[in-house]
Amino acid sequence: MGEVRNVAEPATAAPPNRRTAFAEGVDKARAAATTEPGRLRIIGAVLALLVVAFGAVTAWQTADRAAAADDVLHKSQPLSAAAAEIYRSLADANTAASSGFLAGGQETPTSRKQYEEDIDKAAAELVRAANSSDPDSPSADAITKLNTLLPEYKGLVERARTYNRQGFPVGGAYLRYANQKMQDEMLPAAQQLYTKENQRLEDDYADATPYPWAAIALGVLALAALAWAQHRNYRRTNRVLNHGLVSATAAATVVLLWLVVGHSVARAALNDSYDHGVRSLNVLHDARIASLKARGNENLTLVARGAETEKIAVDGGEPKTVDKYDNDFTTEMKDLATGLTQAAKLADDQAGEKPVTSAEGNMAVWNQRHLAAREQDDNGNYEQALALVIGDKGATAECFDSVDKNLATALKHEQKEFQAAAGDGLGAMTGLTAGAAVLAVLGAAGAVLGIGRRLSEYR
């Protein structure tokens, strides 16, 4: 038999080390960069990228600011005003209820109508606010609370009216309980809603007014790169102009100027809408609410007939027992005076200042008549005091109505001022987002064509 021999298999050669596609690409790019056509291609790509990035960031930042400015004008400020109207309607309903109660069984149709209108207005504004609030937010919680308390308050007022018409003293107790629910639960909830909506308005202003520094920086960088590319082209060819690069520079310049000027105008208008619109509106809302609360406390002073007292320290001395509602009236009138002084300072024209000045005069007369009414009541002349508070002529009711009317006029004027200024701010950014995107694309195309023109000379 033949001999079996082991034949060794030949050793397999180690495969050569293969480079990654990325490394090979880097080598090719490095090699291309050593030639003028390669350098031109890189320059063209960088210029196009810078211009496109400038346009994209400009469009992004201006879109955000325009959206915030639109929210200021059409959402957050109207909702802030609606929250203030909820507070005002509730306070006015409380005042109307106490005024009607003082009239006894002869409650006037006017006071009854005013009460019903205020309640309906508050309910309607609550629905509007609920539709615009975020679920599970503090604003939504305040709205839910008010929607629960409103029917409870109405029930207490109706009981107070029923007993009052029948001549039962317990009617006054029900009205005081209704007022307590309004002052301790409903108005604080309405104040919380107003505060939250004002904070949303502040946040929208904070989003709408900052300068778009990232876009501006990219714009300056893109223009610097285009200027360098044109200077380089001139040094190598002695040609002053490259039409493509000039077009790209023009497009980038237009976008940058449009961005800076447009945003500066928008920012100035929005700041004006805040300084001479929102601030004045807030002060006037607070003053009007103070007048309503003062009027309600003035009425309740006569309703309670001294049944509600509290101890306060006067000028750091010994505590003194005073009528709770009359003391609250004094506090609210001081707040009203402070608010009117601030509103007069913030008014930037005669149309805004005149109703505030008139309200200050009405308030002064109101204080005088109130003191006369308190003097009559303290001397046991209840009917004379009642006539000085809710009477047809020479009563504090006339002064309150005049204060409220003048404040309503001032609020209407300042609302128009806000809308005009905020509208100008939003208008200054109109078209900037789309315009920046289009011009950036055209500029990038111009840069590529300009470099392409130089590349054609090497073929």
Side-chain angles (χ1 to χ4, degrees):
M1 295 183 62
E3 183 178 331
V4 178
R5 294 182 297 177
N6 292 327
V7 180
E9 296 182 0
T12 305
N17 292 329
R18 295 187 59 84
R19 306 187 65 205
T20 64
F22 175 77
E24 292 177 355
V26 171
D27 286 343
K28 289 180 181 180
R30 186 180 294 124
T34 60
T35 66
E36 182 62 12
R39 284 191 288 268
L40 287 174
R41 290 188 180 91
I42 294 173
I43 290 171
V46 171
L47 290 177
L49 180 63
L50 279 175
V51 174
V52 168
F54 170 44
V57 173
T58 298
W60 163 53
Q61 291 197 306
T62 55
D64 281 351
R65 283 155 178 76
D70 186 74
D71 284 344
V72 165
L73 181 60
H74 296 120
K75 188 175 180 181
S76 53
Q77 196 282 327
L79 284 175
S80 175
E85 185 61 26
I86 290 171
Y87 196 117
R88 190 209 68 81
S89 297
L90 292 174
D92 195 40
N94 201 46
T95 300
S98 60
S99 296
F101 187 91
L102 284 175
Q106 303 300 319
E107 180 183 4
T108 64
T110 301
S111 64
R112 179 69 180 183
K113 180 181 178 183
Q114 184 64 49
Y115 169 81
E116 295 293 346
E117 287 179 351
D118 286 330
I119 292 295
D120 291 343
K121 179 70 172 177
E125 293 295 343
L126 282 171
V127 172
R128 177 184 171 192
N131 291 334
S132 301
S133 64
D134 297 326
D136 300 325
S137 66
S139 293
D141 293 340
I143 292 169
T144 301
K145 184 176 182 179
L146 286 169
N147 278 324
T148 302
L149 292 173
L150 189 59
E152 295 178 9
Y153 172 81
K154 288 176 62 179
L156 291 171
V157 171
E158 291 307 318
R159 287 187 181 182
R161 282 181 170 142
T162 300
Y163 289 125
N164 191 43
R165 283 194 298 267
Q166 296 173 358
F168 296 153
V170 72
Y174 272 104
L175 186 65
R176 292 195 300 273
Y177 183 37
N179 175 73
Q180 184 178 358
K181 184 174 288 290
M182 176 66 73
Q183 300 293 340
D184 295 346
E185 299 181 62
M186 298 178 71
L187 291 183
Q191 180 65 48
Q192 179 188 0
L193 177 62
Y194 180 49
T195 300
K196 293 300 180 183
E197 294 303 333
N198 263 350
Q199 185 58 55
R200 181 191 295 191
L201 177 59
E202 296 277 351
D203 293 343
D204 285 338
Y205 268 107
D207 291 338
T209 54
Y211 273 106
W213 292 115
I216 292 173
L218 272 174
V220 172
L221 181 61
L223 286 176
L226 287 166
W228 172 83
Q230 290 175 87
H231 178 67
R232 182 180 185 280
N233 183 64
Y234 169 71
R235 290 183 61 186
R236 281 166 171 71
T237 65
N238 285 327
R239 295 171 186 166
V240 178
L241 298 177
N242 177 294
H243 293 151
L245 294 178
V246 169
S247 298
T249 302
T253 301
V254 169
V255 173
L256 184 60
L257 289 175
W258 191 358
L259 172 65
V260 173
V261 174
H263 186 76
S264 296
V265 172
R267 177 187 173 94
L270 287 170
N271 286 336
D272 183 62
S273 74
Y274 183 84
D275 292 335
H276 300 293
V278 172
R279 289 179 62 196
S280 294
L281 286 168
N282 288 342
V283 169
L284 288 168
H285 279 307
D286 291 342
R288 197 178 188 192
I289 287 167
S291 72
L292 286 164
K293 293 172 75 173
R295 178 59 178 171
N297 285 314
E298 184 177 45
N299 291 339
L300 286 166
T301 302
L302 295 177
V303 172
R305 297 191 181 187
E308 296 286 342
T309 60
E310 62 183 358
K311 288 186 176 182
I312 61 170
V314 180
D315 298 328
E318 291 296 325
K320 179 183 177 182
T321 301
V322 298
D323 185 287
K324 178 183 183 305
Y325 296 121
D326 189 49
N327 185 61
D328 289 344
F329 168 84
T330 302
T331 301
E332 296 300 339
M333 291 298 279
K334 289 179 180 178
D335 291 343
L336 173 59
T338 301
L340 291 176
T341 301
Q342 293 177 345
K345 291 179 180 179
L346 290 172
D348 59 344
D349 56 16
Q350 185 65 24
E353 185 178 359
K354 183 177 179 180
V356 176
T357 303
S358 298
E360 288 178 316
N362 302 143
M363 182 192 66
V365 178
W366 186 358
N367 275 320
Q368 293 172 2
R369 294 181 179 179
H370 175 78
L371 290 175
R374 293 309 311 139
E375 183 179 359
Q376 291 293 333
D377 192 32
D378 290 340
N379 291 332
N381 301 321
Y382 179 80
E383 293 300 327
Q384 288 87 337
L386 189 62
L388 287 172
V389 173
I390 64 171
D392 294 331
K393 294 290 181 75
T396 58
E398 290 181 330
C399 302
F400 164 73
D401 290 340
S402 297
V403 168
D404 193 66
K405 182 179 179 181
N406 281 310
L407 287 176
T409 300
L411 280 165
K412 185 177 181 180
H413 171 75
E414 295 301 334
Q415 184 69 27
K416 289 182 179 179
E417 292 279 294
F418 160 79
Q419 289 175 338
D424 290 342
L426 179 59
M429 289 188 276
T430 300
L432 180 53
T433 300
V438 172
L439 287 173
V441 171
L442 293 176
V448 171
L449 290 175
I451 296 298
R453 180 71 179 272
R454 284 282 294 119
L455 281 171
S456 66
E457 297 172 1
Y458 289 89
R459 293 169 186 165

